[in-house]
Amino acid sequence: MTSETDVSGYRQMLMIRRFEEKAGQLFGMGLIEGYCHLCIGQEAVVAGLEAALRKGDRRTASYRSHGHMLASGMDPARIMAELLGRTEGYSRGRGGSMHMFSPDDGFFGGHGMLGAQVPVGAGLAFADRYRKTNAITVVSYGDVAADLGHVAETYRLAAMWSLPLLFVIENNAEASAPKGMRLSDRAAAYGIPISRVDGMDLRAVREVALDAALHVRAGKGPWLIEAATFRYRGHSMADPAKYRTLDEMQRVRAERDPIAREREKLLEEGATEAELREIDAEVKALVNEAADRARASDSPTLGDLAPHIAAEVRHDGT
C-alpha cells in the first residue's frame, strides 16, 4: 500500500477519535440526551475495513456506529446535530445517536436493537446478488451480538445463497463463546471462511479486509473477520466499565493504542512530527467546527415531530 493510504487511514482514525471525544464532552455537558455509545479504542477496525470498500458497497452497524458513519463519508456536523437532537441531523433530530441512515453514503444504520443489523445486511447483500452487481455489504457487530440466534440464522442463509456479505465481529471481549469455542466458530460451522486479526493494528485489519473483500466480491460467498479490539469507554456513557481495571486500561493504551502504533510506523517510514501534528490540528478544527454548527442548528418543533408520532385520541376528542 502507498504511504498516502497509510496517512489516510491514520487521519481517519484520528477523526473518529476526536469526534467521539467531543461527543463524550457534549454528553457530559448535558447536551446529548438518551444513550450514547462511543467507539474510542476501536478505530483501527473501522478504518481498516473502509480501505477495502468501493463506491456502491453498503455498511450496516450497531448502535456504536459514529465511527462507521464518518468512515462512510457522512457529514460530521450532521452526525453531531443528530446526537444533539437538532433538525440538521440525519434523522432531523428524531433518531439520536443510535438511528441514522444515509443510503447515498452506503450507510444503512445505526440499529438500536442488538444484532438487528445482521439480517438487514443480509437483505442488502441478497439484493446485490439478485441484481448481479459487483457490490458487497459489510455488517459489523459486537461480541455479545455474535452469540444471538438470528445472527446464526443469517450465517446459514448467507452461506446457502452465497451472499456477497462480509461479517465483522468487533470483539471487545465483553462476552465469551461456549467453552472451547471462539465467536467466529459459529460461522465456520456453516462453511464460511474466517479470519482473526489484531483489531488494534490498522494495517493488519486492512490486509485481512482486502483479501476477504476480494473473495466476497468475486461471488464466492460470505466471509467473516473477527477483530480483537479494546474499547476504552464503557458499554455506553452511562456505564462506568468497572469490569476492567485501571491498570489494564493504561497498559493497553500505552502498548496497543491503534493511533499511537500507526503514528510510530509513519514516523519510521519518513513522516515528520510536524506533519502529523498538522493532521491532528486539522482534524480537531473540523470536529470543533462540526460541533459548533450542530449546536447552532434548531431543535425540532412539535410540528416537525407530530407527523411521525401516532396520534392519541382522548375521550374529550383532543
Side-chain angles (χ1 to χ4, degrees):
M1 303 299 294
T2 65
S3 59
E4 289 82 4
T5 300
D6 296 328
V7 172
S8 176
Y10 175 75
R11 186 183 186 281
Q12 197 167 60
M13 288 196 297
L14 266 180
M15 172 63 77
I16 296 169
R17 175 77 55 95
R18 301 297 178 236
F19 183 95
E20 295 289 67
E21 289 172 345
K22 177 61 73 171
Q25 178 186 11
L26 295 177
F27 185 92
M29 295 167 62
L31 296 176
I32 296 178
E33 300 184 31
Y35 292 102
C36 185
H37 303 80
L38 306 181
C39 67
I40 296 174
Q42 299 182 194
E43 297 89 354
V45 180
V46 180
L49 287 171
E50 193 62 29
L53 301 185
R54 305 175 183 173
K55 185 176 178 58
D57 292 341
R58 276 84 70 86
R59 311 147 185 83
T60 66
S62 68
Y63 38 74
R64 197 178 314 284
S65 56
H66 310 156
H68 295 279
M69 297 178 204
L70 292 166
S72 69
M74 293 170 67
D75 183 353
R78 292 191 63 194
I79 300 172
M80 193 69 80
E82 189 59 43
L83 298 184
L84 297 174
R86 306 298 173 88
T87 54
E88 194 176 343
Y90 275 96
S91 298
R92 298 187 179 182
R94 298 189 295 263
S97 173
M98 297 191 288
H99 303 101
M100 283 182 259
F101 290 74
S102 182
D104 290 342
D105 294 302
F107 185 74
F108 288 78
H111 294 265
M113 296 301 295
L114 190 64
Q117 71 275 18
V118 180
V120 170
L124 293 168
F126 180 83
D128 282 322
R129 180 180 178 276
Y130 184 81
R131 294 167 180 157
K132 295 181 171 58
T133 74
N134 193 233
I136 68 173
T137 297
V138 175
V139 52
S140 302
Y141 48 105
D143 39 294
V144 176
D147 205 31
L148 297 178
H150 59 272
V151 174
E153 290 171 350
T154 305
Y155 292 156
R156 172 74 174 92
L157 290 175
M160 181 173 65
W161 292 336
S162 295
L163 297 184
L165 188 59
L166 178 54
F167 296 98
V168 181
I169 302 175
E170 299 170 311
N171 190 349
N172 185 54
E174 284 187 285
S176 58
K179 188 175 181 180
M181 290 182 60
R182 297 190 185 186
L183 293 172
S184 49
D185 288 343
R186 293 191 185 280
Y190 294 103
I192 297 175
I194 61 175
S195 298
R196 299 184 179 101
V197 66
D198 180 0
M200 306 294 277
D201 185 331
L202 170 68
R203 301 187 192 195
V205 175
R206 185 175 65 201
E207 182 178 353
V208 167
L210 286 167
D211 288 342
L214 282 174
H215 171 97
V216 176
R217 208 179 296 280
K220 297 179 180 179
W223 193 288
L224 183 142
I225 297 173
E226 182 178 353
T229 187
F230 191 99
R231 193 177 63 247
Y232 299 158
R233 301 289 182 94
H235 176 73
S236 72
M237 288 297 292
D239 174 17
K242 292 183 179 180
Y243 43 82
R244 282 184 169 151
T245 66
L246 180 60
D247 287 345
E248 180 185 17
M249 190 79 68
Q250 291 175 338
R251 185 178 68 256
V252 171
R253 294 196 78 142
E255 299 175 0
R256 298 181 58 210
D257 182 79
I259 295 175
R261 291 170 76 177
E262 182 60 25
R263 187 177 188 278
E264 288 302 313
K265 290 176 183 177
L266 291 174
L267 290 171
E268 290 171 2
E269 293 167 355
T272 66
E273 291 278 1
E275 289 171 336
L276 298 184
R277 282 197 299 268
E278 184 178 350
I279 293 173
D280 199 2
E282 177 190 354
V283 167
K284 285 180 180 177
L286 287 171
V287 170
N288 286 333
E289 180 184 350
D292 291 342
R293 183 174 139 196
R295 294 183 67 175
S297 178
D298 295 329
S299 297
T301 65
L302 182 59
D304 296 325
L305 299 173
H308 305 275
I309 301 174
E312 178 185 355
V313 180
R314 301 179 182 176
H315 292 297
D316 61 3
T318 60

